[in-house]
Amino acid sequence: MKSQKFNQADTNLFNAKKNISNLVYLKFDISKIEIDIDSSIRHEYDPEKLQELAESIRTNNNELIQPIVISNIRNSGDYRVVAGRRRFLACRDILNLKTISAIVKNY
């Protein structure tokens, strides 16, 4: 596994580091993450299903079983959701969490 290098903005954003089965992910400030509204990914979700997802996350101590995947937006210190849009929305909009577990992938 290639080691991931983080810039200073990355270092300032995370407040926890976890390692599960050689998978390293960090806790990021959820306000620094945005959704790409111009992508071809669907934009509407069943509110009931989103609420069910939020309840599932809540029963796991507000922790995601699988972190979302984000990428750095032109080394700005802000990030965009690459995978896990529904999990992100459930954490941000329903649970009002301040941080979220994420893996950084720069493409």
Side-chain angles (χ1 to χ4, degrees), residues 75-87:
N75 295 318
S76 67
D78 291 330
Y79 296 84
R80 181 168 290 134
V81 175
V82 174
R85 181 182 277 208
R86 287 181 63 245
R87 284 172 277 153

Side-chain angles (χ1 to χ4, degrees), residues 36-66:
D36 185 0
I37 58 172
D38 296 328
S39 73
S40 62
I41 302 170
R42 65 182 178 158
H43 295 285
E44 294 182 24
Y45 299 101
D46 181 340
E48 190 173 303
K49 295 289 184 187
L50 208 54
Q51 185 66 42
E52 288 174 14
L53 177 59
E55 289 304 317
S56 174
I57 295 167
R58 183 177 285 129
T59 62
N60 196 44
N61 294 322
N62 290 335
E63 285 292 329
L64 296 175
I65 294 171
Q66 180 176 349

Side-chain angles (χ1 to χ4, degrees), residues 7-16 26-33 70 72 77-79 99:
N7 63 31
Q8 188 60 43
D10 294 325
T11 304
N12 291 338
L13 286 175
F14 74 86
N15 65 5
L26 307 170
K27 297 281 272 186
F28 284 85
D29 180 343
I30 209 164
S31 69
K32 297 288 186 180
I33 302 171
I70 58 177
N72 194 307
D78 291 330
Y79 296 84
T99 60

